[in-house]
Structures are given as structure tokens and as C-alpha cells.
Amino acid sequence: MSQTLDTVFAALADPTRRAILAMLLEDDMAVTDVAHPFAMSLAAISKHLQVLAEAGLISQEKRGRVKWCKLEPDALREASVWMQGFGQMDSLDLDAFERFLAVEIGLEAEAEIPGG
Amino acid sequence: MSQTLDTVFAALADPTRRAILAMLLEDDMAVTDVAHPFAMSLAAISKHLQVLAEAGLISQEKRGRVKWCKLEPDALREASVWMQGFGQMDSLDLDAFERFLAVEIGLEAEAEIPGG
DNA sequence: TCCATATTCAACCATCTGGTTGACGTTTCC
DNA sequence: GGAAACGTCAACCAGATGGTTGAATATGGA
């Protein structure tokens, strides 16, 4: 889940990938057609699509020699939920926060919250 | 705005930086105190804080020899709004999309939407 | 003044990222 | 069968990223 947030946000950080997602809103598309409007090679777009697929933001299905790309909004929704929930923690449970840190960044148990 | 999304999402892609944001939810903190729970150098945390500040996710104010870090949820909200709005475009206005592409990735006017 | 604290800067390093090109394996179709 | 279309793979490259260490710059306090 933490790694999911890593990969989802990293995928969204690139404008080409955000543009691809916007294109896939309209309809499923073949890799070649996704690549068409962009001023870069097919191989580069293929890599971008892999990044999006690993983040769970799209799925790909091969039919014949054509690989179809489909938007998968669930991962996007997960990240969005994270961001929404973020502003709504009112006061932080420090014990819970230590566990959160431990999960988020693999911190040892000695993690101690300054000022706490 | 496009660059803002770039920097905001890139900032959020790192678990250390997300943990820092979570800490700042509770209260404003000095750089040294932010660094305390993490198993890395102060200089590394200082860099992370710069990334967060450039993305607009935090602000920093120096009082005396202490630099205070404060959460600025507006940039987070902007990215969240982008994500929310994303799933809600129903059908895409192709002309608008070409302008979107032009802004997002600096594409030339000849951008043409395949299948469109 | 002198020392400790708070923070950044500069140089360095390993790894990741985003792009290229050319070769390759599949599938389709004449 | 053989050519063309679809897509990925492999090798390579430049630049960004995330970390380190040690020196430098302020500021605060005895």
C-alpha cells in the first residue's frame, strides 16, 4: 500500500503520463494510437505505459497483435482518498504515528516523535 | 500549474516526505525536530524539506536560528482537485484536449487525437 | 568572547529516469 | 511464404534524485 502510493504518485508526476491518462478517459486505445500525438518514440511511450500499468492506473490486454490500454481509476482513487483523509486527521495519535512511520519508511521501533 | 502538478506529485512520491507531511499535520516543527525520527542525516531532511517547499506543500519561516516548517495544504488540495475532476470528465472535447496537451507537454499545434 | 546549536552548502557517489536507436518476436494479410 | 504492422527488448546516454560527509554560516547564551 505504501509502495502503491509511491508508484502512483511517481507515475502521476510526469506530464506525458498524465496526458496519456486523459486520453484513455475517452476510450481504450492501442499502444500505437496512444503514441501518435506525442513527439517521442514508440518505445518511450511503451515504457510510460508500463509505469502506468505497474502503478495500477491502467491495464493492458493483448488481442491479436494489438495491445489495448484501459484506464483503471481505482489506484487513482486510492491516492485521492489518501490525500483527502490527510487533511482530516485532527490530532495525531503518537503511537499510531510511530506504527505509521514504521510501515511507511521501514523505520525501527525506536522511532520517537520529537516534542511528543 | 502543470509544473505545479509535476512538483507536487513528485514530492508526494517519496515516503519520507509523506511522513514529514504527516508529522506537520500535528504542529509546526523546527528542521532538527522534523529530522529526529528519521534514520538519515539532517542535510538529507533539509533537502526533503526544500522539495516540499518548492512544491508549495509546506512553508518555512526562520525565527532566530530556528527555521519553522508549516504545512500548506493548498497545493495538496490542488492536486486532489485534479484527481477528483479527472474521473468526472464524461466525454472529451477534442479541441479542448489538444489545447490541454499543448499546455501539459508543450506539444505543437499539429497534435491530433488518434481515433478522434 | 567563546562555545554550542541550528541549518545549509559543496562535493561526491550510486541509482533511477526518460529518452534514443536498432534488433527482435508475433500476428495479420496478400 | 513473405512483407508489413504492432509492440517490446537491450544497450546506451544525459540528467535528476536521494543519500553521504565535512566545512561554513548564523544565532543564542554563558
Side-chain angles (χ1 to χ4, degrees), chain B residues 17 40-41 47-48 64-65:
Chain B
R17 289 194 289 262
M40 69 183 70
S41 69
K47 283 194 199 175
H48 279 305
R65 62 184 164 179

Side-chain angles (χ1 to χ4, degrees), chain A residues 22-29 69-71, chain B residues 92:
Chain A
M23 293 168 67
L24 292 177
L25 271 178
E26 198 196 354
D27 206 354
D28 301 356
M29 292 177 77
C69 305
K70 176 179 165 54
L71 194 65
Chain B
L92 211 49

